[in-house]
Amino acid sequence: MITMVKQPRETIRARVIEVAQRLLAERGIEGVNTNEVARTAGIGVGTFYGLFPDKHALADAVTFSAWEQLGAALLDAPSDASSMTRVIVDFAAASPERFRAAFGRPPSSRPGRPALQLSTRPLARRLAASREAGELDAELDAEIAARAWWAMASGTLIWWLEDPRRADREALARTLAALHPLAAGARRPG
């Protein structure tokens, strides 16, 4: 007689998210289907739908999971450009599939719902405070600078993760830090 051991819902959910991040990183949202995710995670399709209403909700969960992990690491880091950039590069290097799945996928084609995007508000607030303190150019639009830096940094990291031989990790971190608005040409002219 086979005895089934019931696993906690959160354990199953975490396993599904782990499987999904790998598949999403490899194929993107359009190349993944719920049956394959369920089969690969070792659960039934009904169990999958008990956890997530569809693959888009699963992709959102992968994204939120990565944001939470990266956000927690950034909260623990000093708020200078070099330290923040190092945390992001280290996160990408340690969790390439998670990073690619969360930050490298194009906006999904979820009907009637906007694509999820990482909030750049914390960086924009930090830039605005530095601008107000006279540390950055008074003309700098903090929101635009924050969005532009994140788009450049995440896109560059996705490029690097595709083939880490393309650039030395230290050179990558130094360059992204040098281009950060807190360290780069956003300084006041003078």
Side-chain angles (χ1 to χ4, degrees), residues 16-17 20 24 32 37 48 52-63:
V16 172
I17 288 172
L24 288 168
V32 173
V37 172
F48 175 91
F52 304 99
D54 56 31
K55 70 179 181 179
H56 298 289
L58 174 60
D60 290 351
V62 168
T63 301

Side-chain angles (χ1 to χ4, degrees), residues 111-178:
R113 291 174 33 193
L116 291 175
Q117 295 179 350
L118 179 72
S119 174
T120 55
R121 275 186 243 139
L123 177 56
R125 282 193 297 268
R126 172 73 172 93
L127 294 174
S130 292
R131 183 188 60 215
E132 297 306 314
E135 299 167 352
L136 295 177
D137 186 331
E139 298 296 315
L140 178 78
D141 183 304
E143 183 64 29
I144 293 171
R147 287 180 179 275
W149 186 82
W150 175 249
M152 180 272 307
S154 60
T156 301
L157 284 165
I158 295 298
W159 165 82
W160 177 69
L161 289 172
E162 289 171 355
D163 183 1
R165 295 173 297 174
R166 290 176 167 165
D168 175 75
R169 182 173 167 174
E170 292 305 313
L172 176 70
R174 280 192 312 274
T175 302
L176 291 176

Side-chain angles (χ1 to χ4, degrees), residues 34-48:
T34 57
N35 291 341
E36 178 184 22
V37 172
R39 184 177 57 253
T40 305
I43 63 170
V45 174
T47 301
F48 175 91

Side-chain angles (χ1 to χ4, degrees), residues 39-105:
R39 184 177 57 253
T40 305
I43 63 170
V45 174
T47 301
F48 175 91
Y49 285 112
L51 296 168
F52 304 99
D54 56 31
K55 70 179 181 179
H56 298 289
L58 174 60
D60 290 351
V62 168
T63 301
F64 284 129
S65 173
W67 291 354
E68 288 175 353
Q69 188 178 24
L70 179 57
L74 285 168
L75 282 176
D76 291 339
S79 63
D80 62 279
S82 182
S83 297
M84 290 187 296
T85 301
R86 168 64 57 197
V87 166
I88 295 167
V89 171
D90 289 349
F91 177 84
S95 305
E97 289 176 343
R98 179 172 283 201
F99 192 90
R100 284 195 321 268
F103 305 113
R105 64 187 173 97

